[in-house]
Amino acid sequence: MSMNNIDFLAVVRSCIPQEAEIVQLQQQGNPAAILYADVDGDGTPEITAMYRFLDNQYLFSIKDYSGNWFPIASAATGGVREVTDFAAAPVSRRQGWDILIGWRQEGTSSGSGSELDIIQWTSSGFQRMIPPGTTYDHLEIEDMPTRDGKDGLCELALWVKEQNQAYQVQTYRWDPYRLVPTQDVHPYYFQRVSRYYEDLVRNHPDEPAYRSLLEDAKKKVGGEGGA
């Protein structure tokens, strides 16, 4: 079925309790937490979404069978938490994309402080891939090239705010049962980080922290520096 022929909101609403609310992401425009991606690895995309009902939050995936949508997995996520990110990408495997969720940390202001969750669809239900405690303020997901090119799996870049507009940035990949810091994509990704700090240095020439972070980013572009 073509993506253009699907009314995603209508399909999701038809599959959840009448009183339930589709989760809206804490992003600009507050988009609905709905994905269209192949999470079960059969080569055909499913709809994966989140909704709130009776003081709980639910993640579920539904599959189209001859024009009818049926659930293939559903799970309560425990209580109600704001969601900052909701994405699907081949992080741990190429077939059957992982679901990435950013949960707003309690006590943080709008737009900052998220906890990362990576969830995989399995034939017995959803499975959490990482333990609690991985936090960030900005997330980027991309198949980042090394000197050998791209490998079909996505790396993650986590930006953690230090102060003002200064962030510590680290790249990670799945290897093979957990996220580990990786340096071989630094020459590619830290070009982007360098441009970010070049703009800050230009606009705030008297702020030494930005200049120091720019120098560190340039070293990583050149293949120097650690995690």
Side-chain angles (χ1 to χ4, degrees):
M1 180 178 290
S2 169
M3 178 177 176
N4 295 329
N5 295 330
I6 304 173
D7 185 339
F8 291 98
L9 284 171
V11 170
V12 171
R13 287 192 179 111
S14 72
C15 296
I16 63 177
Q18 185 175 356
E19 299 83 3
E21 295 181 356
I22 299 172
V23 170
Q24 291 183 299
L25 305 185
Q26 300 301 300
Q27 299 177 1
Q28 184 175 1
N30 298 117
I34 300 175
L35 302 172
Y36 189 56
D38 179 17
V39 299
D40 67 358
D42 70 346
T44 302
E46 293 78 40
I47 294 177
T48 300
M50 296 184 69
Y51 68 92
R52 294 190 179 115
F53 181 63
L54 297 180
D55 299 322
N56 211 329
Q57 220 153 246
Y58 298 86
L59 172 71
F60 76 107
S61 290
I62 52 177
K63 178 180 282 293
D64 175 46
Y65 292 99
S66 302
N68 296 302
W69 293 89
F70 294 94
I72 60 172
S74 179
T77 61
V80 174
R81 298 173 68 185
E82 291 184 340
V83 180
T84 57
D85 294 286
F86 192 57
V91 174
S92 68
R93 57 187 184 182
R94 292 174 179 83
Q95 288 81 35
W97 286 15
D98 302 296
I99 302 163
L100 295 92
I101 304 174
W103 303 102
R104 169 72 43 76
Q105 289 183 279
E106 293 184 8
T108 60
S109 60
S110 177
S112 66
S114 299
E115 182 175 6
L116 180 66
D117 215 347
I118 302 178
I119 296 173
Q120 188 178 93
W121 182 93
T122 73
S123 58
S124 58
F126 291 121
Q127 176 181 332
R128 267 204 171 100
M129 304 291 287
I130 60 173
T134 299
T135 58
Y136 67 93
D137 293 281
H138 175 66
L139 167 69
E140 293 194 355
I141 308 162
E142 182 182 346
D143 183 359
M144 304 178 192
T146 66
R147 288 185 174 87
D148 297 323
K150 298 182 179 182
D151 64 0
L153 292 170
C154 286
E155 285 75 25
L156 308 181
L158 301 184
W159 295 55
V160 178
K161 181 174 285 190
E162 290 190 323
Q163 58 180 358
N164 299 327
Q165 299 177 72
Y167 295 82
Q168 284 294 333
V169 182
Q170 181 55 272
T171 53
Y172 296 85
R173 72 159 51 95
W174 194 258
D175 183 65
Y177 301 109
R178 61 196 176 102
L179 285 177
V180 296
T182 181
Q183 299 179 26
D184 56 3
V185 298
H186 282 183
Y188 165 77
Y189 187 76
F190 274 85
Q191 295 179 58
R192 189 176 306 170
V193 181
S194 293
R195 291 192 293 271
Y196 172 79
Y197 283 116
E198 284 170 353
D199 289 341
L200 284 178
V201 168
R202 189 180 305 113
N203 295 328
H204 305 276
D206 298 327
E207 180 53 68
Y210 298 151
R211 191 171 301 277
S212 174
L213 289 164
L214 172 59
E215 292 173 357
D216 179 68
K218 286 183 174 179
K219 288 180 181 178
K220 291 177 178 175
V221 170
E224 303 175 28

